[in-house]
Amino acid sequence: MRLSARVDYALRAAVALAGYGDRWVSAEQIAEDQGIPRKFLESILLQLRRGGIAASKRGSEGGHQLARPGGEISLADVIRAVDGPLVGVRGERPEQVSYSGTATALTNVWIALRVSERNILESVSLAAVASDDLPTSVTKLLEDPDAWVIRGA
């Protein structure tokens, strides 16, 4: 799985907002705290607002905050808001891709991959990341020594 810089920044910004709680926070503060280029962050915050993840308010008391509690927003929600569906094959949903001959089963592999990603990304909330309190299902995966082994190029 490859995460674009946009998705990485969006996740970091959303987790930062979860960490700020109910406070309104400026884009400048988020950019500084997370090392995200300000112009890039403005675009991401717009996508998060459009996706129902974040809210914004103008004025001296304004800024950005989550649109709902961080415990109710999953990492998958953020990824979908800025990047669309979790798994795509050539820009299409896995169930819309078909192969012939010996490659026929690849469609099933892509769908299984989507299920695995959903199981993790939908179970981890922004609040869980912000408080470093990941679900047991995730921390259990990290206990496997092979989880930390880099394979391939």
Side-chain angles (χ1 to χ4, degrees):
M1 173 180 189
R2 292 183 192 268
L3 295 177
S4 66
R6 175 172 294 284
V7 169
D8 178 54
Y9 289 158
L11 289 167
R12 289 165 44 196
V15 167
L17 289 173
Y20 295 125
D22 292 338
R23 290 186 339 183
W24 291 95
V25 183
S26 70
E28 185 175 288
Q29 184 66 53
I30 298 167
E32 183 179 314
D33 290 350
Q34 293 299 315
I36 301 172
R38 174 89 189 273
K39 289 286 187 190
F40 207 178
L41 179 62
E42 290 289 349
S43 169
I44 288 166
L45 289 169
L46 177 63
Q47 286 184 291
L48 293 177
R49 285 193 307 273
R50 287 181 179 159
I53 304 296
S56 64
K57 182 169 84 171
R58 293 180 186 254
S60 61
E61 299 294 318
H64 305 273
Q65 67 177 198
L66 293 177
R68 55 189 194 275
E72 296 177 11
I73 303 171
S74 73
L75 298 182
D77 294 332
V78 175
I79 293 169
R80 288 182 185 116
V82 298
D83 213 30
L86 293 180
V87 174
V89 180
R90 300 185 321 257
E92 296 183 49
R93 293 180 183 268
E95 65 275 7
Q96 296 173 329
V97 177
S98 62
Y99 300 95
S100 60
T102 56
T104 301
L106 277 176
T107 301
N108 293 335
V109 173
W110 305 148
I111 291 171
L113 176 63
R114 180 176 59 192
V115 169
S116 293
E117 283 189 11
R118 280 181 182 165
N119 286 341
I120 294 171
L121 296 173
E122 290 179 351
S123 73
V124 180
S125 71
L126 297 177
V129 176
S131 64
D132 194 13
D133 186 24
L134 300 176
T136 305
S137 60
V138 173
T139 58
K140 207 166 190 56
L141 292 170
L142 299 173
E143 293 171 4
D144 180 355
D146 274 351
W148 301 96
V149 175
I150 299 170
R151 294 196 177 128

